[in-house]
Amino acid sequence: EDAIISGVAHDTSEAKLTILGLPDRPGVAARVFTELADANVNVDMIVQNVSADGRTDISFTLPRGDTAKAQAILEPLLDDVDGAGVLVDPDVAKVSLVGAGMKTNPGIAAKMFSALSAADVNIEMISTSTIRVSVVVAKDDVETAVQAVHAVFGLGDDADEGRSH
Amino acid sequence: EDAIISGVAHDTSEAKLTILGLPDRPGVAARVFTELADANVNVDMIVQNVSADGRTDISFTLPRGDTAKAQAILEPLLDDVDGAGVLVDPDVAKVSLVGAGMKTNPGIAAKMFSALSAADVNIEMISTSTIRVSVVVAKDDVETAVQAVHAVFGLGDDADEGRSH
Ligand SMILES: C[C@@H](O)[C@H](N)C(=O)O
Ligand SMILES: C[C@@H](O)[C@H](N)C(=O)O
């Protein structure tokens, strides 16, 4: 299956929130996201990587306007779930390469990451699926990042109308 | 936008590979995935979370048959990219809730995580988008996980025909 690249989506309306040092046992993620859902906090991209010494971080992006509410929910929860802390970074942007068939084409993510590297853009988070490669970068880097990814995939600036992540 | 849940996809053909302790500076992810792409290693779900003390891990899933090749490429690369190590876990499964409009409905991920918690399934990795919530679990837990998620969303077993991640 050849990959079909259709455009680059970007979103600067979100912040990044990280819950540090959560115990890696069943029920912890459920507790965290149930509390957030009950308070109607819109959670977008969730990322958790493997644990080390039985602990791991969970990060997610959310509307910048929801960060105070999310912190007010999560900080009291830390004792209950035995987490180490909550970090909020409001100065981020999400940049996604949108397409299809990316799973069978290993060079797509490499090409995107190389374009960002050449533009000296640091990648803060990565999340992918077969139809999308998303990275979180510093908000100040969003234009550079979008232009660099456009250029390497030969996409015109108009390729992005209405792309959703 | 109401979320539309269409099914649960699962995949037990993949292993999980983690590169530990990578420096968080531009170019590192590009180098890692370019080497893998040049060797034609099919990389599926990539996850990177925020760094701590300037270092972070990158994990990805890949066909179980490619793990030896990937390790042979990455271990010599560790010196160059100043990484701390490579871990491979062949005993994993990917379980994805597939649908649409999930971003605007915070309860979906919470409901899925709660179903896994109640079934005593530990979540090893998380990656989400607006159309999909994917988790990596132990391979032995895949049937329990799929059944638990089916049950909580009221999906019949036949909802999964041909679902892709
Ligand atoms: C860290 C968190 O995901 C935990 N492993 C859980 O299953 O809830
Ligand atoms: C860790 C890795 O993603 C690094 N931040 C990079 O941009 O390549």
Side-chain angles (χ1 to χ4, degrees):
Chain A
E1 185 187 359
D2 273 350
I4 307 148
I5 305 295
S6 49
V8 178
H10 66 279
D11 185 345
T12 54
S13 68
E14 298 185 324
K16 173 178 80 181
L17 188 149
T18 302
I19 312 161
L20 299 163
L22 287 165
D24 185 16
R25 57 175 156 67
V28 172
R31 183 71 201 281
V32 164
F33 289 99
T34 299
E35 296 277 340
L36 290 165
D38 288 352
N40 238 346
V41 174
N42 269 345
V43 167
D44 181 18
M45 177 173 152
I46 306 172
V47 168
Q48 176 201 318
N49 206 335
V50 298
S51 62
D53 305 326
R55 300 223 167 235
T56 186
D57 304 335
I58 292 181
S59 294
F60 58 90
T61 61
L62 74 166
R64 202 169 283 119
D66 275 356
T67 51
K69 190 160 89 173
Q71 273 178 292
I73 291 159
L74 293 173
E75 274 161 5
L77 191 61
L78 283 178
D79 276 349
D80 264 9
V81 291
D82 187 17
V86 174
L87 282 181
V88 173
D89 181 356
D91 297 318
V92 297
K94 197 169 73 172
V95 177
S96 297
L97 184 69
V98 183
M102 312 243 226
K103 175 175 170 172
T104 46
N105 195 318
I108 301 286
K111 201 168 167 181
M112 180 180 179
F113 299 159
S114 296
L116 296 172
S117 162
D120 208 30
V121 171
N122 190 49
I123 300 168
E124 299 185 8
M125 281 169 74
I126 302 172
S127 169
T128 69
S129 77
T130 49
I131 62 150
R132 171 196 65 89
V133 180
S134 285
V135 296
V136 168
V137 300
K139 194 158 158 244
D140 288 347
D141 286 341
V142 70
E143 262 148 60
T144 312
V146 171
Q147 274 162 15
V149 177
H150 268 154
V152 80
F153 287 102
L155 297 165
D157 283 352
D158 55 0
D160 300 346
E161 294 329 310
R163 293 273 155 237
S164 92
H165 286 266
Chain B
E1 183 188 4
D2 272 352
I4 306 150
I5 306 295
S6 49
V8 177
H10 67 279
D11 184 344
T12 53
S13 68
E14 299 185 325
K16 170 179 81 179
L17 188 149
T18 302
I19 311 161
L20 299 163
L22 286 165
D24 186 15
R25 52 155 200 271
V28 171
R31 182 71 201 281
V32 164
F33 289 99
T34 299
E35 296 278 340
L36 290 166
D38 289 351
N40 238 353
V41 174
N42 270 343
V43 168
D44 182 19
M45 176 172 155
I46 305 171
V47 168
Q48 176 202 319
N49 206 337
V50 297
S51 62
D53 304 327
R55 296 218 170 241
T56 187
D57 304 337
I58 292 180
S59 295
F60 58 89
T61 61
L62 73 166
R64 198 167 286 121
D66 275 356
T67 50
K69 190 160 99 176
Q71 272 178 293
I73 291 160
L74 294 174
E75 278 165 2
L77 189 60
L78 283 178
D79 276 350
D80 264 14
V81 290
D82 187 16
V86 174
L87 284 180
V88 173
D89 180 357
D91 297 320
V92 296
K94 196 168 77 169
V95 177
S96 297
L97 184 70
V98 183
M102 310 240 224
K103 175 174 170 174
T104 46
N105 194 321
I108 303 287
K111 202 169 169 181
M112 179 181 178
F113 300 159
S114 296
L116 295 172
S117 163
D120 208 30
V121 171
N122 190 48
I123 299 169
E124 298 185 9
M125 281 169 74
I126 302 172
S127 169
T128 71
S129 76
T130 50
I131 62 148
R132 174 195 64 87
V133 180
S134 286
V135 296
V136 168
V137 300
K139 194 157 158 245
D140 288 347
D141 286 341
V142 69
E143 313 244 310
T144 312
V146 170
Q147 276 162 15
V149 178
H150 268 154
V152 80
F153 288 101
L155 297 165
D157 284 349
D158 55 2
D160 302 347
E161 294 330 315
R163 294 271 152 238
S164 96
H165 286 266

